[in-house]
Amino acid sequence: MKMMDYLSEEWVIPDLKGEDKPSILKELSSVLVKPCQVTSVEELLPVLLDREKLGQQGLEKGLPSLTAG
């Protein structure tokens, strides 16, 4: 399977306002409540923060360029 098989355009937030990991994860949680089948951001956010404590999720060097070839 490809990563795009798991992603939805509706989950993209092109201009995130958060400036640190917790605030960015809170923003991202707001669009993931329904797809993750949870009742609120307050339910989802601790799960994401706990997962982050296990290790960064592969974006420590930023997002790769989509136009690099």
Side-chain angles (χ1 to χ4, degrees):
M1 281 208 142
K2 298 177 186 172
M3 181 184 255
M4 295 307 296
D5 293 337
Y6 295 99
L7 300 177
S8 171
E9 189 174 326
E10 298 164 354
W11 303 342
V12 175
I13 303 173
D15 55 347
L16 287 170
K17 306 290 187 255
E19 295 184 12
D20 58 12
K21 191 180 293 188
S23 61
I24 290 171
L25 287 174
K26 185 173 184 175
E27 255 182 281
L28 292 171
S29 296
S30 68
V31 298
L32 295 175
V33 167
K34 187 174 181 179
C36 290
Q37 300 176 352
V38 296
T39 58
S40 67
V41 169
E42 291 74 22
E43 183 180 353
L44 182 57
L45 185 57
V47 174
L48 295 177
L49 290 170
D50 286 346
R51 178 61 181 95
E52 274 298 305
K53 289 177 187 173
L54 296 176
Q56 293 186 356
Q57 306 309 307
L59 298 177
E60 63 273 0
K61 295 180 183 175
L63 293 173
S65 171
L66 297 177
T67 59

